[in-house]
Amino acid sequence: MAVDPRGADLKRYLQEDPGGPVVMLNLLRYAEGGRPSYEQYAEALRTTFLPRYGGEILYAGEGSTALVAEEGQAWDAVLCIRYPSRSAFSRMVADPEYQQVTALRTRALTEAVLQATTPW
């Protein structure tokens, strides 16, 4: 399963840009022992990359009781992160310094959903 965006995914993401801010929904499933690695990544994201690209954590929390989900569909963690634009997010993931830290995220996860959202 993919846990990181690929080039074609980012290209489509930018082509479908409605303009304005974007909130990225992150659903995360940790690999065995992966949480400490993700915490290192999250700290770098929070202290370095989100300020650099204008991002803001709106919500970060642990998965809890799944009320409506099929077996295996519960998530370990949920994050909602607002970026000023889709291009700001894209510039962040292309940043060579960010790419060095993203290996921590990749190693930490077995499955992820990373989905752009648009306001109603």
Side-chain angles (χ1 to χ4, degrees), residues 57-119:
I57 297 172
L58 301 178
Y59 177 81
E62 301 297 323
S64 186
T65 307
L67 298 177
V68 178
E70 298 298 320
E71 184 69 30
Q73 287 184 329
W75 296 94
D76 294 326
V78 176
L79 289 91
C80 292
I81 302 177
R82 182 195 162 283
Y83 295 89
S85 64
R86 287 185 181 212
S87 65
F89 173 83
S90 186
R91 287 192 313 274
M92 182 185 77
V93 299
D95 182 322
E97 190 179 349
Y98 173 83
Q99 290 178 0
Q100 291 176 358
V101 225
T102 197
L104 293 166
R105 181 184 184 280
T106 303
R107 204 171 34 247
L109 302 174
T110 59
E111 192 173 5
V113 170
L114 180 58
Q115 183 172 353
T117 69
T118 56

Side-chain angles (χ1 to χ4, degrees), residues 28-45:
L28 310 174
R29 188 161 293 117
Y30 297 124
E32 182 79 27
R35 185 183 171 119
S37 180
Y38 193 86
E39 288 172 350
Q40 282 182 275
Y41 163 79
E43 181 64 14
L45 185 69

